[in-house]
Amino acid sequence: MELLANLALGFETAFTPVNLLYCFVGCLLGTLVGVLPGIGPTATIAMLLPITFSFAPVTALIMLAGIYYGAQYGGSTTAILINLPGETSSAVTAIDGYQMARKGEAGAALATAALGSFFAGTVATFVLALAAPPLARAALNFGAPEYFSLIVLGLIASIALAHGSILKALAMIVLGLLLGMVGQDIYTGTPRFTFGFFELYSGLNFVAVAVGVFGVAEILRNLENETTREVMVRRVSNLWLTREQLRRIAWPVLRGTGLGTVLGILPGGGHVLSSFAAYSVEKRLSKRPQDFGKGAIEGVAGPESANNAAAQTSFIPMLTLGIPAHPVMALMIGAFIIQGITPGPNVIKDEPALFWGIIVSMWVGNLMLVILNLPLIGLWVKLLTVPYRVLFPAIVVFASVGCYAIASNHFDVYAIAVFGLVGYVLVKLGCEPAPLLLGFVLGPLLEEHLRRAMILSRGDPMIFLERPISATLLALAVIAIVVAVLPSVRRKRDEVFVEED
C-alpha cells in the first residue's frame, strides 16, 4: 500500500503540465543528441545544466533524466541506418542492425529497437521503484566509515570498468580528486591550490569543468572527423514486425532486460557492458549463431533492451546513496547540488514528490520515446545531413552564456576554455575523461567522510575494518581491482572495448 501511495504522489507530480512539457523536451533533446553522432548525453547535459538553475528541482531533473534515457533510444537510429552509433552503448546494435538495413529491413530493425527499449525501460523503472526505498532505508544506517568505503568501492569499480588502460583510468581518478580539493579546507578554511585566485576559494565550478571536459573537448574531437563523415540514408518503410519476428525477439528482449537491470547498477560503463553482454548471450544461445553479424534480429533486440534497462537502473545508486554510476549520473548529482538538494538516502524522505516524480516520469518518457522514434524517423534521418561545423558555434556560445549566468562570473567562462583544452589533450593521449569527473564529484565527499571517521576514531584507521559494512565494501573494492588486473579478464575487457571502437 505504501508503494501505491508513493506512486500516486509520483503521478500527481509528473503529470503537472510543466513537468509533462519538460519531460517531452528532455526526451526530444535526448533523441536528437542520440541521433547526431558525436554529441552524446554527457556533453548535452553538461551544457544544459546552467539553464536548469531557474527551474523547479523536479522539473530540471525530469528533463535531464529524459535527455539521458532518450539518447539510448536515439543512438540506435544512426547505428541501424548508417552504421554510425550515436551513443556508445548502441555500438553493438550496429553489427546486425545495419546489415538488416542493407537487406531492406531497416523498418523492422528500428521497430525492434523501439519496442525492446520500451519494454526494458518500463520493467527497469518498476525495479527502481521497488528497490530504491529499502536501499535508501539501509543507507540511513551508514556512518562516515561506511560512506568512505562505499565511495572507494565506486571509484575502484569505475577504474576497472573504464575504457582503455587501467593505469590511465587510475590517473584520471587521482586528477579528479585533486581538482575536487581546490578551494578552502572544509574544517580550517585554509585555501588550497588556489594560486592566488580569489575566484577559486569556493572551489572549481562543477558546470565549467563538465562543459569543458565533455562539451568543448567533444566538439574539438568531432571537428577532426567532420571531413571523413559520409551519410547515406535510404527510405525507411514497414515500421512494424511480423508475427514470426515478434516470436524471435521475445526471449532476447526478456534476457536483455534482466541483464541490463542488474549491470546498470555497476559503476563505470554498466550500460555499455550490458549491451555487449546481451549480444554475447544471444549469440551463444541462438540455434543460428552463424546469422549473427549478417542481420540477425536477435542481435538488435537483446542489446537494445539491455542498454535501456541499464539506463534506468543506473539511477538507483545515485538516488539512494548519492553515488554516481557513470558521468551522466555525476552530472545529475551536480544538478541536485545546484538546486540546493543533498543527494543521498535522505532525498526519498525529505523530497518524496521529487523522488517519485522522477520515477513516474520515466514511464511517461518511455512512452513518449516510442512515439518520437518511429513516426518521426524521417525527421531524424534528415538531421543527419546537417554539417557539424554549423552546429558547434551555437553549442559553444549557448554553453558559455549559460555557465556565466549561474554566478555572473567571467572566470567560469575562462575555466570552460581551459578545461576544454585539457579534455581534448586527455582524449588525444588515450585517457578517458569520465573517471576524472567521477573523482571530481566524489572527491570532496571522500575527504569529508574520511576526516569525520578519523575524528570519531581519534585517529585510528582500524575503524574502517572494525565496522562490518565498511570492511565488506573495502574487501569488494580489493576484489574488483584484483579481478580487473587478471590477464584473462583484461583480455576480455580489451576485446569488448575494441569491438566498441
Side-chain angles (χ1 to χ4, degrees):
M1 291 302 292
E2 183 184 359
L3 178 62
L4 292 177
N6 289 328
L7 289 176
L9 175 62
F11 275 101
E12 183 182 339
T13 304
F15 275 80
T16 60
V18 66
N19 289 339
L20 281 175
L21 172 63
Y22 280 100
C23 182
F24 177 79
V25 169
C27 292
L28 183 67
L29 285 172
T31 303
L32 175 63
V33 301
V35 167
L36 292 173
I39 299 178
T42 307
T44 304
I45 291 174
M47 291 184 285
L48 288 177
L49 271 181
I51 70 166
T52 63
F53 185 69
S54 58
F55 292 0
V58 66
T59 303
L61 291 160
I62 282 174
M63 186 186 80
L64 295 176
I67 292 172
Y68 173 53
Y69 56 78
Q72 309 303 313
Y73 273 75
S76 63
T77 301
T78 47
I80 291 167
L81 295 180
I82 61 173
N83 200 25
L84 189 61
E87 240 296 278
T88 307
S89 54
S90 297
V92 72
T93 305
I95 299 172
D96 283 283
Y98 182 62
Q99 294 303 320
M100 288 182 69
R102 291 184 65 186
K103 293 192 294 185
E105 298 176 356
L110 290 167
T112 298
L115 293 175
S117 298
F118 174 72
F119 176 82
T122 302
V123 171
T125 304
F126 184 70
V127 172
L128 170 59
L130 287 175
L135 187 57
R137 283 194 291 270
L140 288 173
N141 297 321
F142 280 24
E146 288 79 11
Y147 265 110
F148 170 81
S149 301
L150 179 64
I151 294 170
V152 169
L153 173 60
L155 292 174
I156 293 296
S158 70
I159 292 170
L161 298 175
H163 185 295
S165 164
I166 290 178
L167 188 61
K168 289 179 179 178
L170 177 61
M172 289 299 95
I173 287 282
V174 173
L175 179 58
L177 292 173
L178 289 173
L179 291 174
M181 293 177 67
V182 172
Q184 292 176 294
D185 183 278
I186 55 175
Y187 286 103
T188 66
T190 305
R192 304 181 301 188
F193 304 117
T194 58
F195 303 103
F197 290 101
F198 178 74
E199 292 88 348
L200 291 177
Y201 274 46
S202 57
L204 287 164
N205 185 313
F206 170 80
V207 176
V209 174
V211 170
V213 170
F214 283 99
V216 176
E218 189 72 8
I219 286 169
L220 292 173
R221 189 180 67 82
N222 282 295
L223 285 174
E224 288 184 343
N225 303 323
E226 177 64 18
T227 57
T228 63
R229 183 177 298 160
E230 182 181 354
V231 176
M232 294 177 60
V233 179
R234 306 178 185 184
R235 183 174 179 81
V236 179
S237 57
N238 299 323
L239 285 165
W240 197 245
L241 301 173
T242 64
R243 184 174 296 180
E244 170 62 16
Q245 288 170 329
L246 285 170
R247 185 191 65 77
R248 286 178 62 185
I249 71 168
W251 279 108
V253 166
L254 288 171
R255 285 190 289 262
T257 300
L259 268 174
T261 299
V262 174
L263 294 178
I265 302 171
L266 295 176
H271 61 304
V272 178
L273 292 177
S274 64
S275 61
F276 280 96
Y279 188 83
S280 298
V281 167
E282 294 312 317
K283 189 173 182 179
R284 192 164 297 172
L285 295 179
S286 176
K287 296 177 181 176
R288 295 172 288 188
Q290 68 277 5
D291 291 346
F292 280 73
K294 300 176 183 177
I297 196 169
E298 296 89 346
V300 175
E304 278 301 302
S305 302
N307 75 46
N308 280 277
Q312 312 290 336
T313 55
S314 63
F315 281 83
I316 292 176
M318 189 274 290
L319 286 173
T320 58
L321 303 173
I323 304 297
H326 48 74
V328 172
M329 292 301 110
L331 292 169
M332 295 290 286
I333 284 180
F336 271 93
I337 293 169
I338 287 173
Q339 295 288 346
I341 299 170
T342 302
N346 285 315
V347 170
I348 192 170
K349 181 181 70 173
D350 299 340
E351 302 283 348
L354 181 145
F355 183 90
W356 293 102
I358 291 173
I359 289 177
V360 170
S361 76
M362 292 180 185
W363 277 315
V364 178
N366 273 282
L367 184 58
M368 288 179 175
L369 284 165
V370 173
I371 298 169
L372 282 170
N373 274 265
L374 292 180
L376 298 181
I377 190 65
L379 173 63
W380 306 126
V381 166
K382 287 180 181 177
L383 283 172
L384 292 172
T385 61
V386 177
Y388 193 72
R389 63 181 179 275
V390 174
L391 295 174
F392 90 86
I395 294 172
V396 172
V397 170
F398 178 78
S400 301
V401 170
C403 189
Y404 175 80
I406 291 179
S408 299
N409 187 351
H410 66 276
F411 188 85
D412 293 338
V413 180
Y414 295 135
I416 290 176
V418 170
F419 281 102
L421 291 173
V422 169
Y424 177 71
V425 170
L426 291 176
V427 169
K428 299 302 286 184
L429 292 174
C431 298
E432 189 185 5
L436 183 152
L437 189 64
L438 292 178
F440 178 68
V441 171
L442 294 176
L445 292 173
L446 187 74
E447 181 189 7
E448 182 180 351
H449 291 302
L450 171 63
R451 294 174 73 169
R452 280 186 186 176
M454 296 303 284
I455 290 170
L456 287 171
S457 67
R458 300 180 183 274
D460 183 4
M462 290 302 294
I463 189 173
F464 299 108
L465 299 178
E466 290 169 351
R467 298 176 68 144
I469 295 176
S470 175
T472 303
L473 293 170
L474 288 177
L476 290 172
V478 172
I479 292 169
I481 200 68
V482 169
V483 168
V485 298
L486 289 175
S488 59
V489 175
R490 289 184 67 179
R491 278 197 302 272
K492 188 65 179 174
R493 176 178 171 275
D494 292 340
E495 285 172 14
V496 167
F497 287 119
V498 165
E499 285 185 53
E500 175 196 318
D501 293 335

